[in-house]
Amino acid sequence: HRGVGAAGGPGRGVAGGAGGGREIPHPVYRAAGRGAAGAFVAAAPRQAADNETLVKQIFRRLQETAPDAAARMLLGPNPTGRKIAEVGVELLRLAGLPARTVHGLHLIPNRRDARFDHWVEFYAGAAWHPYKPRTGEFAVPEDTLPWWHGTEPFVTVQGGGELDADV
């Protein structure tokens, strides 16, 4: 039992705190992806003693220099940091731990051309906890502003082109 993650069944949970009671959806995979995701998650619970260990194990395996077939199937070729975060969140949900991606900015004075940073939050003990897959830390810098949650892009354009957005 991993705390809150078990509530609501495998891959589902109720997101409290800032999320306000929304249900976290179970990830949907096509046949090949479903097999890879199931095999990937099946290995983690045998080794993970708590939520933090589960999170670290899943992301460590996704980011191995020579990823196994399941990781390659789920990530595709040349995965970005954002793609790794999104796949990791799907795997955590499949393992029964509510999780979400977070996208934000580092607030640095006099800086132009800010880039979004991506990290993960998982829900346990009545709170959301951050995890930075790139660094393996369970914290984000204090000068970081969360901008949005989820897998949708920051902006989309329909019927136009060459969007230029400064943040």
mmCIF file of all heavy atoms in Angstrom, residues 38-78:
data_model
loop_
_atom_site.group_PDB
_atom_site.id
_atom_site.type_symbol
_atom_site.label_atom_id
_atom_site.label_comp_id
_atom_site.label_asym_id
_atom_site.label_seq_id
_atom_site.Cartn_x
_atom_site.Cartn_y
_atom_site.Cartn_z
ATOM 1 N N GLY A 38 2.555 -2.196 -18.942
ATOM 2 C CA GLY A 38 2.267 -3.185 -17.908
ATOM 3 C C GLY A 38 3.516 -3.888 -17.426
ATOM 4 O O GLY A 38 3.722 -4.066 -16.221
ATOM 5 N N ALA A 39 4.389 -4.264 -18.349
ATOM 6 C CA ALA A 39 5.645 -4.927 -17.972
ATOM 7 C C ALA A 39 6.541 -3.977 -17.200
ATOM 8 O O ALA A 39 7.194 -4.362 -16.228
ATOM 9 C CB ALA A 39 6.373 -5.423 -19.229
ATOM 10 N N PHE A 40 6.565 -2.727 -17.623
ATOM 11 C CA PHE A 40 7.398 -1.717 -16.969
ATOM 12 C C PHE A 40 6.972 -1.522 -15.515
ATOM 13 O O PHE A 40 7.781 -1.547 -14.605
ATOM 14 C CB PHE A 40 7.255 -0.392 -17.739
ATOM 15 C CG PHE A 40 8.370 0.562 -17.512
ATOM 16 C CD1 PHE A 40 9.417 0.649 -18.413
ATOM 17 C CD2 PHE A 40 8.380 1.401 -16.415
ATOM 18 C CE1 PHE A 40 10.455 1.542 -18.225
ATOM 19 C CE2 PHE A 40 9.403 2.301 -16.215
ATOM 20 C CZ PHE A 40 10.450 2.368 -17.123
ATOM 21 N N VAL A 41 5.675 -1.351 -15.307
ATOM 22 C CA VAL A 41 5.148 -1.102 -13.962
ATOM 23 C C VAL A 41 5.196 -2.353 -13.103
ATOM 24 O O VAL A 41 5.422 -2.275 -11.898
ATOM 25 C CB VAL A 41 3.709 -0.541 -14.052
ATOM 26 C CG1 VAL A 41 3.048 -0.500 -12.695
ATOM 27 C CG2 VAL A 41 3.738 0.848 -14.664
ATOM 28 N N ALA A 42 5.029 -3.524 -13.703
ATOM 29 C CA ALA A 42 5.022 -4.772 -12.931
ATOM 30 C C ALA A 42 6.338 -4.989 -12.198
ATOM 31 O O ALA A 42 6.361 -5.530 -11.098
ATOM 32 C CB ALA A 42 4.733 -5.959 -13.846
ATOM 33 N N ALA A 43 7.442 -4.540 -12.764
ATOM 34 C CA ALA A 43 8.745 -4.716 -12.133
ATOM 35 C C ALA A 43 8.945 -3.767 -10.957
ATOM 36 O O ALA A 43 9.600 -4.108 -9.981
ATOM 37 C CB ALA A 43 9.855 -4.504 -13.153
ATOM 38 N N ALA A 44 8.378 -2.581 -11.021
ATOM 39 C CA ALA A 44 8.626 -1.560 -9.997
ATOM 40 C C ALA A 44 8.076 -1.895 -8.607
ATOM 41 O O ALA A 44 8.787 -1.756 -7.626
ATOM 42 C CB ALA A 44 8.100 -0.213 -10.469
ATOM 43 N N PRO A 45 6.812 -2.344 -8.456
ATOM 44 C CA PRO A 45 6.293 -2.575 -7.116
ATOM 45 C C PRO A 45 7.063 -3.609 -6.300
ATOM 46 O O PRO A 45 7.137 -3.512 -5.090
ATOM 47 C CB PRO A 45 4.853 -3.031 -7.351
ATOM 48 C CG PRO A 45 4.486 -2.471 -8.660
ATOM 49 C CD PRO A 45 5.764 -2.478 -9.462
ATOM 50 N N ARG A 46 7.668 -4.587 -6.973
ATOM 51 C CA ARG A 46 8.432 -5.586 -6.225
ATOM 52 C C ARG A 46 9.650 -4.965 -5.560
ATOM 53 O O ARG A 46 10.136 -5.454 -4.558
ATOM 54 C CB ARG A 46 8.874 -6.715 -7.160
ATOM 55 C CG ARG A 46 7.743 -7.593 -7.619
ATOM 56 C CD ARG A 46 8.277 -8.837 -8.295
ATOM 57 N NE ARG A 46 9.144 -8.539 -9.414
ATOM 58 C CZ ARG A 46 8.796 -8.591 -10.688
ATOM 59 N NH1 ARG A 46 7.573 -8.925 -11.005
ATOM 60 N NH2 ARG A 46 9.653 -8.317 -11.642
ATOM 61 N N GLN A 47 10.150 -3.886 -6.149
ATOM 62 C CA GLN A 47 11.367 -3.265 -5.639
ATOM 63 C C GLN A 47 11.091 -2.036 -4.783
ATOM 64 O O GLN A 47 11.930 -1.640 -3.992
ATOM 65 C CB GLN A 47 12.264 -2.859 -6.811
ATOM 66 C CG GLN A 47 12.628 -4.023 -7.701
ATOM 67 C CD GLN A 47 13.192 -3.563 -9.027
ATOM 68 O OE1 GLN A 47 13.248 -2.386 -9.316
ATOM 69 N NE2 GLN A 47 13.612 -4.510 -9.845
ATOM 70 N N ALA A 48 9.946 -1.370 -4.949
ATOM 71 C CA ALA A 48 9.677 -0.094 -4.290
ATOM 72 C C ALA A 48 9.019 -0.287 -2.927
ATOM 73 O O ALA A 48 8.001 -0.948 -2.807
ATOM 74 C CB ALA A 48 8.790 0.767 -5.177
ATOM 75 N N ALA A 49 9.604 0.302 -1.910
ATOM 76 C CA ALA A 49 9.074 0.201 -0.562
ATOM 77 C C ALA A 49 8.130 1.351 -0.243
ATOM 78 O O ALA A 49 7.287 1.240 0.630
ATOM 79 C CB ALA A 49 10.221 0.198 0.450
ATOM 80 N N ASP A 50 8.267 2.491 -0.928
ATOM 81 C CA ASP A 50 7.435 3.661 -0.664
ATOM 82 C C ASP A 50 7.272 4.469 -1.948
ATOM 83 O O ASP A 50 7.833 4.138 -2.987
ATOM 84 C CB ASP A 50 8.038 4.512 0.449
ATOM 85 C CG ASP A 50 9.471 4.931 0.154
ATOM 86 O OD1 ASP A 50 9.841 5.070 -1.028
ATOM 87 O OD2 ASP A 50 10.236 5.130 1.113
ATOM 88 N N ASN A 51 6.483 5.530 -1.872
ATOM 89 C CA ASN A 51 6.209 6.353 -3.053
ATOM 90 C C ASN A 51 7.475 6.936 -3.668
ATOM 91 O O ASN A 51 7.646 6.923 -4.886
ATOM 92 C CB ASN A 51 5.252 7.487 -2.696
ATOM 93 C CG ASN A 51 3.867 6.984 -2.368
ATOM 94 O OD1 ASN A 51 3.387 6.036 -2.978
ATOM 95 N ND2 ASN A 51 3.223 7.603 -1.409
ATOM 96 N N GLU A 52 8.349 7.473 -2.838
ATOM 97 C CA GLU A 52 9.568 8.100 -3.349
ATOM 98 C C GLU A 52 10.442 7.092 -4.087
ATOM 99 O O GLU A 52 11.001 7.395 -5.139
ATOM 100 C CB GLU A 52 10.357 8.762 -2.210
ATOM 101 C CG GLU A 52 9.703 10.007 -1.640
ATOM 102 C CD GLU A 52 8.563 9.714 -0.672
ATOM 103 O OE1 GLU A 52 8.393 8.537 -0.251
ATOM 104 O OE2 GLU A 52 7.823 10.655 -0.356
ATOM 105 N N THR A 53 10.548 5.890 -3.553
ATOM 106 C CA THR A 53 11.344 4.849 -4.201
ATOM 107 C C THR A 53 10.714 4.457 -5.535
ATOM 108 O O THR A 53 11.415 4.294 -6.532
ATOM 109 C CB THR A 53 11.476 3.618 -3.285
ATOM 110 O OG1 THR A 53 12.026 4.036 -2.028
ATOM 111 C CG2 THR A 53 12.371 2.561 -3.902
ATOM 112 N N LEU A 54 9.391 4.331 -5.567
ATOM 113 C CA LEU A 54 8.698 3.994 -6.807
ATOM 114 C C LEU A 54 8.958 5.064 -7.870
ATOM 115 O O LEU A 54 9.305 4.748 -9.008
ATOM 116 C CB LEU A 54 7.191 3.864 -6.561
ATOM 117 C CG LEU A 54 6.336 3.627 -7.814
ATOM 118 C CD1 LEU A 54 6.636 2.264 -8.418
ATOM 119 C CD2 LEU A 54 4.860 3.757 -7.465
ATOM 120 N N VAL A 55 8.824 6.327 -7.494
ATOM 121 C CA VAL A 55 9.029 7.432 -8.432
ATOM 122 C C VAL A 55 10.460 7.394 -8.968
ATOM 123 O O VAL A 55 10.693 7.454 -10.173
ATOM 124 C CB VAL A 55 8.722 8.786 -7.758
ATOM 125 C CG1 VAL A 55 9.167 9.949 -8.626
ATOM 126 C CG2 VAL A 55 7.233 8.894 -7.438
ATOM 127 N N LYS A 56 11.433 7.275 -8.080
ATOM 128 C CA LYS A 56 12.841 7.243 -8.505
ATOM 129 C C LYS A 56 13.120 6.058 -9.429
ATOM 130 O O LYS A 56 13.810 6.194 -10.430
ATOM 131 C CB LYS A 56 13.769 7.182 -7.285
ATOM 132 C CG LYS A 56 14.218 8.520 -6.792
ATOM 133 C CD LYS A 56 15.386 8.312 -5.857
ATOM 134 C CE LYS A 56 16.075 9.543 -5.462
ATOM 135 N NZ LYS A 56 16.757 10.333 -6.417
ATOM 136 N N GLN A 57 12.590 4.881 -9.092
ATOM 137 C CA GLN A 57 12.843 3.687 -9.907
ATOM 138 C C GLN A 57 12.267 3.833 -11.312
ATOM 139 O O GLN A 57 12.920 3.488 -12.297
ATOM 140 C CB GLN A 57 12.256 2.445 -9.237
ATOM 141 C CG GLN A 57 13.063 1.954 -8.076
ATOM 142 C CD GLN A 57 12.430 0.735 -7.428
ATOM 143 O OE1 GLN A 57 11.288 0.384 -7.723
ATOM 144 N NE2 GLN A 57 13.163 0.099 -6.544
ATOM 145 N N ILE A 58 11.062 4.338 -11.408
ATOM 146 C CA ILE A 58 10.440 4.479 -12.733
ATOM 147 C C ILE A 58 11.232 5.465 -13.584
ATOM 148 O O ILE A 58 11.560 5.179 -14.733
ATOM 149 C CB ILE A 58 8.960 4.885 -12.604
ATOM 150 C CG1 ILE A 58 8.156 3.639 -12.193
ATOM 151 C CG2 ILE A 58 8.434 5.494 -13.904
ATOM 152 C CD1 ILE A 58 6.691 3.840 -11.997
ATOM 153 N N PHE A 59 11.601 6.605 -13.028
ATOM 154 C CA PHE A 59 12.328 7.596 -13.826
ATOM 155 C C PHE A 59 13.770 7.178 -14.091
ATOM 156 O O PHE A 59 14.303 7.470 -15.159
ATOM 157 C CB PHE A 59 12.237 8.986 -13.192
ATOM 158 C CG PHE A 59 10.924 9.636 -13.475
ATOM 159 C CD1 PHE A 59 9.908 9.622 -12.544
ATOM 160 C CD2 PHE A 59 10.684 10.220 -14.709
ATOM 161 C CE1 PHE A 59 8.678 10.194 -12.820
ATOM 162 C CE2 PHE A 59 9.460 10.794 -15.001
ATOM 163 C CZ PHE A 59 8.454 10.788 -14.044
ATOM 164 N N ARG A 60 14.370 6.480 -13.160
ATOM 165 C CA ARG A 60 15.738 5.986 -13.404
ATOM 166 C C ARG A 60 15.730 5.021 -14.594
ATOM 167 O O ARG A 60 16.574 5.100 -15.481
ATOM 168 C CB ARG A 60 16.287 5.291 -12.163
ATOM 169 C CG ARG A 60 17.741 4.829 -12.324
ATOM 170 C CD ARG A 60 18.298 4.171 -11.069
ATOM 171 N NE ARG A 60 18.210 5.068 -9.926
ATOM 172 C CZ ARG A 60 17.657 4.742 -8.752
ATOM 173 N NH1 ARG A 60 17.175 3.540 -8.544
ATOM 174 N NH2 ARG A 60 17.608 5.610 -7.765
ATOM 175 N N ARG A 61 14.748 4.159 -14.621
ATOM 176 C CA ARG A 61 14.663 3.190 -15.711
ATOM 177 C C ARG A 61 14.349 3.863 -17.048
ATOM 178 O O ARG A 61 14.875 3.480 -18.084
ATOM 179 C CB ARG A 61 13.609 2.144 -15.376
ATOM 180 C CG ARG A 61 13.613 0.991 -16.334
ATOM 181 C CD ARG A 61 12.797 -0.166 -15.815
ATOM 182 N NE ARG A 61 12.508 -1.075 -16.907
ATOM 183 C CZ ARG A 61 11.485 -1.904 -16.922
ATOM 184 N NH1 ARG A 61 10.660 -1.950 -15.893
ATOM 185 N NH2 ARG A 61 11.288 -2.692 -17.949
ATOM 186 N N LEU A 62 13.502 4.891 -17.034
ATOM 187 C CA LEU A 62 13.185 5.614 -18.270
ATOM 188 C C LEU A 62 14.395 6.353 -18.831
ATOM 189 O O LEU A 62 14.487 6.574 -20.031
ATOM 190 C CB LEU A 62 12.055 6.629 -18.025
ATOM 191 C CG LEU A 62 10.645 6.088 -17.909
ATOM 192 C CD1 LEU A 62 9.684 7.200 -17.527
ATOM 193 C CD2 LEU A 62 10.203 5.401 -19.187
ATOM 194 N N GLN A 63 15.316 6.758 -17.951
ATOM 195 C CA GLN A 63 16.436 7.586 -18.377
ATOM 196 C C GLN A 63 17.758 6.840 -18.486
ATOM 197 O O GLN A 63 18.809 7.465 -18.615
ATOM 198 C CB GLN A 63 16.588 8.770 -17.410
ATOM 199 C CG GLN A 63 15.358 9.656 -17.395
ATOM 200 C CD GLN A 63 15.473 10.783 -16.408
ATOM 201 O OE1 GLN A 63 15.927 11.855 -16.763
ATOM 202 N NE2 GLN A 63 15.067 10.534 -15.177
ATOM 203 N N GLU A 64 17.724 5.511 -18.448
ATOM 204 C CA GLU A 64 18.961 4.737 -18.580
ATOM 205 C C GLU A 64 19.637 5.030 -19.910
ATOM 206 O O GLU A 64 18.968 5.314 -20.906
ATOM 207 C CB GLU A 64 18.663 3.237 -18.465
ATOM 208 C CG GLU A 64 18.323 2.809 -17.063
ATOM 209 C CD GLU A 64 17.992 1.333 -16.978
ATOM 210 O OE1 GLU A 64 17.774 0.693 -18.022
ATOM 211 O OE2 GLU A 64 17.943 0.822 -15.857
ATOM 212 N N THR A 65 20.962 4.956 -19.920
ATOM 213 C CA THR A 65 21.717 5.217 -21.150
ATOM 214 C C THR A 65 21.342 4.228 -22.239
ATOM 215 O O THR A 65 21.248 4.594 -23.406
ATOM 216 C CB THR A 65 23.231 5.095 -20.884
ATOM 217 O OG1 THR A 65 23.501 5.263 -19.512
ATOM 218 C CG2 THR A 65 23.976 6.157 -21.643
ATOM 219 N N ALA A 66 21.153 2.988 -21.868
ATOM 220 C CA ALA A 66 20.718 1.955 -22.815
ATOM 221 C C ALA A 66 19.360 1.446 -22.331
ATOM 222 O O ALA A 66 19.268 0.423 -21.651
ATOM 223 C CB ALA A 66 21.727 0.828 -22.871
ATOM 224 N N PRO A 67 18.262 2.174 -22.659
ATOM 225 C CA PRO A 67 16.951 1.760 -22.158
ATOM 226 C C PRO A 67 16.514 0.415 -22.719
ATOM 227 O O PRO A 67 16.891 0.047 -23.833
ATOM 228 C CB PRO A 67 16.013 2.880 -22.648
ATOM 229 C CG PRO A 67 16.747 3.575 -23.725
ATOM 230 C CD PRO A 67 18.205 3.331 -23.518
ATOM 231 N N ASP A 68 15.739 -0.321 -21.926
ATOM 232 C CA ASP A 68 15.240 -1.615 -22.373
ATOM 233 C C ASP A 68 14.127 -1.422 -23.409
ATOM 234 O O ASP A 68 13.709 -0.296 -23.704
ATOM 235 C CB ASP A 68 14.779 -2.466 -21.192
ATOM 236 C CG ASP A 68 13.641 -1.832 -20.400
ATOM 237 O OD1 ASP A 68 12.906 -0.996 -20.965
ATOM 238 O OD2 ASP A 68 13.487 -2.175 -19.224
ATOM 239 N N ALA A 69 13.640 -2.509 -23.965
ATOM 240 C CA ALA A 69 12.641 -2.459 -25.040
ATOM 241 C C ALA A 69 11.359 -1.760 -24.602
ATOM 242 O O ALA A 69 10.763 -0.998 -25.371
ATOM 243 C CB ALA A 69 12.340 -3.873 -25.528
ATOM 244 N N ALA A 70 10.924 -1.997 -23.367
ATOM 245 C CA ALA A 70 9.686 -1.374 -22.881
ATOM 246 C C ALA A 70 9.842 0.147 -22.830
ATOM 247 O O ALA A 70 8.959 0.883 -23.275
ATOM 248 C CB ALA A 70 9.317 -1.927 -21.510
ATOM 249 N N ALA A 71 10.963 0.617 -22.304
ATOM 250 C CA ALA A 71 11.200 2.068 -22.226
ATOM 251 C C ALA A 71 11.275 2.674 -23.627
ATOM 252 O O ALA A 71 10.700 3.732 -23.884
ATOM 253 C CB ALA A 71 12.474 2.359 -21.439
ATOM 254 N N ARG A 72 11.959 2.006 -24.537
ATOM 255 C CA ARG A 72 12.063 2.522 -25.917
ATOM 256 C C ARG A 72 10.695 2.591 -26.579
ATOM 257 O O ARG A 72 10.389 3.543 -27.294
ATOM 258 C CB ARG A 72 13.014 1.645 -26.741
ATOM 259 C CG ARG A 72 14.480 1.845 -26.388
ATOM 260 C CD ARG A 72 15.417 1.204 -27.417
ATOM 261 N NE ARG A 72 15.090 -0.173 -27.752
ATOM 262 C CZ ARG A 72 15.555 -1.246 -27.095
ATOM 263 N NH1 ARG A 72 16.384 -1.095 -26.080
ATOM 264 N NH2 ARG A 72 15.213 -2.463 -27.471
ATOM 265 N N MET A 73 9.874 1.587 -26.329
ATOM 266 C CA MET A 73 8.530 1.551 -26.905
ATOM 267 C C MET A 73 7.684 2.717 -26.393
ATOM 268 O O MET A 73 6.982 3.377 -27.153
ATOM 269 C CB MET A 73 7.855 0.220 -26.552
ATOM 270 C CG MET A 73 6.416 0.163 -26.902
ATOM 271 S SD MET A 73 6.264 0.097 -28.667
ATOM 272 C CE MET A 73 4.856 -0.891 -28.849
ATOM 273 N N LEU A 74 7.776 2.989 -25.100
ATOM 274 C CA LEU A 74 6.960 4.037 -24.501
ATOM 275 C C LEU A 74 7.474 5.443 -24.818
ATOM 276 O O LEU A 74 6.679 6.364 -24.996
ATOM 277 C CB LEU A 74 6.907 3.843 -22.981
ATOM 278 C CG LEU A 74 6.212 2.567 -22.520
ATOM 279 C CD1 LEU A 74 6.468 2.330 -21.046
ATOM 280 C CD2 LEU A 74 4.715 2.648 -22.807
ATOM 281 N N LEU A 75 8.783 5.614 -24.888
ATOM 282 C CA LEU A 75 9.369 6.942 -25.084
ATOM 283 C C LEU A 75 9.536 7.334 -26.547
ATOM 284 O O LEU A 75 9.515 8.518 -26.874
ATOM 285 C CB LEU A 75 10.731 7.024 -24.397
ATOM 286 C CG LEU A 75 10.719 6.982 -22.881
ATOM 287 C CD1 LEU A 75 12.131 6.824 -22.348
ATOM 288 C CD2 LEU A 75 10.054 8.228 -22.313
ATOM 289 N N GLY A 76 9.732 6.339 -27.408
ATOM 290 C CA GLY A 76 10.009 6.653 -28.800
ATOM 291 C C GLY A 76 11.460 7.111 -28.949
ATOM 292 O O GLY A 76 12.220 7.172 -27.981
ATOM 293 N N PRO A 77 11.839 7.476 -30.186
ATOM 294 C CA PRO A 77 13.223 7.893 -30.421
ATOM 295 C C PRO A 77 13.482 9.314 -29.899
ATOM 296 O O PRO A 77 12.614 10.173 -29.984
ATOM 297 C CB PRO A 77 13.344 7.845 -31.951
ATOM 298 C CG PRO A 77 11.953 8.045 -32.439
ATOM 299 C CD PRO A 77 11.044 7.441 -31.402
ATOM 300 N N ASN A 78 14.656 9.541 -29.347
ATOM 301 C CA ASN A 78 15.099 10.866 -28.883
ATOM 302 C C ASN A 78 14.082 11.587 -28.001
ATOM 303 O O ASN A 78 13.628 12.683 -28.329
ATOM 304 C CB ASN A 78 15.454 11.752 -30.083
ATOM 305 C CG ASN A 78 16.452 11.095 -30.987
ATOM 306 O OD1 ASN A 78 17.444 10.549 -30.528
ATOM 307 N ND2 ASN A 78 16.189 11.129 -32.283
#
